[in-house]
């Protein structure tokens, strides 16, 4: 019984730290410091470190080799190609998916300006993204890494969920990099994908979707194919 209680206590500490990390990103646009997390949760430094290790193992956060927070999706602490500007806060978006998700997640943020550049030709793109529907403007999303392998190297995965000018730029980039074509879709589909993917992440307790729930979500926003785990190639 004692062991179970300790496990429950550690799980509770991890959830408190998770919430502090996510709310810190949402409010300030950057990862909260270890001391700020300790102060807001009432935990000591060792407990914070233990909780962060647990959260990383559960894929709630991504840490670098020194234990610093790199990502807490949809937020990032490094430049992965997207800036997201609200009225009072500036965020790094972890990818196209994450950047479009921020106004649908953060309370009081009805719209943001998402800025990026085409990976092929460098053309700048800016989109006013809000909670009401897809943004105006052209462009195509290209996601390189299939969902089954997202966490093989999640920073690489996110760095390659980008917005291109058009099909020609996608083909030019694939030829230049030697990468195989991934999933390509319009910005309306990107907006639908992002709109509710992170629902509940700023609340507690937060429960991640099961794989079957994720696949149903992907299908519901108009995605299909083996890339998204929805069918076998050639089916």
């Amino acid at each position: 019984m004692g062991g179970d209680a300790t496990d429950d206590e550690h799980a509770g500490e991890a959830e408190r730290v998770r919430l502090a990390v996510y709310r810190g990103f949402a409010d300030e646009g950057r990862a909260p410091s270890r001391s700020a997390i300790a102060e807001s949760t009432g935990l000591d430094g060792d407990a914070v470190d233990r909780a962060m290790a647990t959260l990383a193992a559960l894929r709630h956060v991504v840490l670098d080799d020194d234990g610093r927070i790199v990502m807490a999706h949809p937020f990032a602490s490094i430049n992965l190609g997207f800036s997201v500007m609200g009225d009072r806060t500036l965020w790094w978006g972890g990818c196209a998916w994450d950047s479009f998700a921020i106004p649908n997640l953060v309370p009081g943020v009805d719209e943001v300006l998402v800025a990026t550049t085409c990976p092929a030709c460098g053309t700048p793109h800016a989109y006013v993204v809000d909670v009401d529907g897809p943004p105006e403007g052209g462009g195509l999303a290209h996601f390189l890494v299939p969902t089954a392998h997202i966490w093989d190297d999640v920073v690489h995965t996110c760095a390659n969920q980008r917005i291109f000018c058009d099909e020609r730029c996608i083909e030019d980039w694939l030829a230049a990099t030697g990468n195989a074509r991934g999933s390509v879709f319009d910005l309306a589909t990107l907006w639908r994908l992002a709109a509710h993917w992170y629902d509940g992440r700023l609340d507690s307790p937060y429960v991640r979707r099961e794989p079957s729930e994720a696949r149903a979500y992907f299908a519901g926003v108009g995605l299909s194919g083996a890339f998204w785990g929805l069918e076998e190639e050639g089916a």
Side-chain angles (χ1 to χ4, degrees):
M1 295 294 291
D4 291 340
T6 299
D7 290 344
D8 289 345
E9 289 171 0
H10 289 173
E13 291 174 353
E15 175 60 12
R16 286 157 61 189
V17 170
R18 186 200 67 79
L19 198 59
V21 169
Y22 276 87
R23 289 183 175 174
F25 264 118
D27 294 342
E28 304 294 335
R30 61 181 183 271
S33 67
R34 181 172 178 267
S35 60
I37 294 170
E39 181 177 355
S40 66
T41 60
L43 300 173
D44 63 27
D46 289 343
V48 170
D49 291 344
R50 181 173 61 242
M52 291 298 298
T54 297
L55 294 173
L58 294 174
R59 299 177 176 176
H60 288 298
V61 300
V62 180
L63 306 177
D64 67 13
D65 291 340
D66 296 318
R68 293 179 296 233
I69 301 168
V70 176
M71 303 182 75
H73 294 87
F75 309 110
S77 64
I78 60 174
N79 181 2
L80 290 168
F82 291 87
S83 63
V84 183
M85 184 175 68
D87 288 338
R88 298 178 301 277
T89 309
L90 181 66
W91 298 271
W92 290 124
C95 55
W97 185 349
D98 288 350
S99 298
F100 274 45
I102 286 175
N104 290 281
L105 174 67
V106 179
V109 178
D110 294 327
E111 69 175 33
V112 296
L113 181 67
V114 175
T116 188
T117 57
C118 174
C121 69
T123 296
H125 295 280
Y127 304 96
V128 176
V129 181
D130 61 31
V131 299
D132 296 323
E136 296 182 358
L140 288 173
H142 177 269
F143 285 19
L144 181 64
V145 180
T147 55
H149 297 286
I150 281 177
W151 284 92
D152 293 357
D153 181 345
V154 71
V155 175
H156 169 77
T157 296
C158 292
N160 286 283
Q161 294 180 344
R162 300 294 300 272
I163 295 175
F164 291 76
C165 298
D166 49 31
E167 280 281 0
R168 179 175 179 178
C169 277
I170 293 173
E171 292 302 323
D172 287 349
W173 182 80
L174 293 174
T177 60
N179 288 310
R181 184 181 177 91
S183 181
V184 177
F185 45 96
D186 60 21
L187 298 191
T189 304
L190 175 63
W191 184 89
R192 293 193 299 271
L193 171 64
H196 296 291
W197 179 252
Y198 293 114
D199 283 0
R201 193 152 285 196
L202 296 180
D203 301 322
S204 185
Y206 173 73
V207 180
R208 298 177 69 92
R209 286 182 179 85
E210 294 293 331
S212 61
E213 295 173 322
R215 290 192 294 271
Y217 183 93
F218 298 149
V221 302
L223 296 165
S224 62
F227 185 98
W228 297 95
L230 296 173
E231 61 187 40
E232 296 298 327
E233 293 288 359

